Amino acid sequence: MSLMYYSRMRAITNLTPLLTKSKTCPATVVSVFAAGFEERIIPDDLSLCQPANYSYLQARSHVAFMHTLFFESLAKQHAGKMKLIHVFPGLVLGPAFANPELPAWFRLFWRWIFAPLFGRFASVPMEESGARMIGLMDSTAYVPYSDTAAAPPDRMVASTMGPNVGGSYALNWDGENRFKEKPYAGLDKEDLRDKVHKHTIEAMDVIASGKKFTS
């Protein structure tokens, strides 16, 4: 959770004063991880500090939810000045798969079986993935949040906040919309958005003060 979510939001909030004053406004924030992987969120344990609630898949789901909700909050606070993008890059065969900390059997299987047989068809080349991530920075398909009824630009991708309002995006590796509304059904999204924002700011403030965040 620290690497997947909190440290990223800390970096963004620390840079927000510069981003919102940039001559190239609206500024673009891109976080590459697990957009669209929302499955279940536990509102009473957002940091998954209860051992019974934690697993990698549950953490990934939380990170997807919390990215969307915190990004929406920032987009509304800085309307017209920031567009915030959470993107799932697809399977990219980077050097992490050769990490010596991974089990030897996994590295051998990956190198000699999966990568040669399936890598070409199931993965996105590193160079292409990098180019696509950079391309998100100046694409006119993503715009900052606006609550006006202005006509959207051509090919504008629907944001997580609605089809014509911009601000926060959950994208697939190819830059297309990956946001799924179903996991949010039955949730009070506005209330949960406020709760996630408050939780995230409090966590960062406690940690910055040198204390241990336990909520």
Side-chain angles (χ1 to χ4, degrees):
M1 292 288 287
S2 295
L3 294 175
M4 295 187 292
Y5 178 73
Y6 294 103
S7 60
R8 297 177 186 225
M9 300 308 115
R10 180 64 170 175
I12 294 167
T13 54
N14 281 354
L15 290 171
T16 292
L18 295 176
L19 292 172
T20 54
K21 293 179 181 178
S22 171
K23 293 181 179 180
T24 59
C25 264
T28 304
V29 173
V30 178
S31 180
V32 182
F33 187 60
F37 277 96
E38 294 98 329
E39 294 179 11
R40 182 174 74 104
I41 189 167
I42 306 172
D44 295 331
D45 187 16
L46 289 175
S47 60
L48 297 179
C49 61
Q50 299 299 320
N53 291 334
Y54 187 85
S55 69
Y56 173 77
L57 293 180
Q58 184 59 59
R60 184 181 66 179
S61 178
H62 261 227
V63 167
F65 272 107
M66 293 169 76
H67 260 80
T68 291
L69 296 167
F70 194 71
F71 276 8
E72 288 184 358
S73 181
L74 289 180
K76 294 189 74 172
Q77 287 180 19
H78 306 286
K81 296 183 178 181
M82 295 177 69
K83 42 186 177 176
L84 301 108
I85 298 171
H86 180 203
V87 57
F88 172 61
L91 176 62
V92 181
L93 303 183
F97 291 103
N99 188 331
E101 294 183 3
L102 293 172
W105 68 265
F106 177 85
R107 285 181 281 128
L108 289 172
F109 169 79
W110 191 267
R111 180 176 180 181
W112 297 108
I113 299 176
F114 187 91
L117 294 179
F118 304 104
R120 181 183 303 177
F121 309 102
S123 68
V124 182
M126 284 192 292
E127 294 79 5
E128 179 181 346
S129 179
R132 286 181 177 277
M133 298 305 107
I134 293 174
L136 295 175
M137 305 298 286
D138 60 1
S139 173
T140 58
Y142 319 105
V143 300
Y145 174 79
S146 173
D147 57 4
T148 67
D154 292 340
R155 271 208 83 254
M156 177 179 170
V157 174
S159 84
T160 64
M161 302 161 77
N164 296 321
V165 295
S168 167
Y169 299 88
L171 305 181
N172 199 17
W173 66 272
D174 57 1
E176 295 299 327
N177 181 36
R178 189 176 163 83
F179 179 67
K180 301 178 179 68
E181 295 184 3
K182 184 177 180 180
Y184 293 83
L187 297 173
D188 185 336
K189 192 180 181 187
E190 185 173 351
D191 179 72
L192 189 57
R193 182 193 299 133
D194 293 341
K195 186 171 185 176
V196 167
H197 183 267
K198 180 180 179 182
H199 164 86
T200 304
I201 297 300
E202 287 182 350
M204 293 188 296
D205 287 346
V206 169
I207 294 169
S209 71
K211 299 178 182 179
K212 183 178 181 180
F213 183 70
T214 57
S215 298

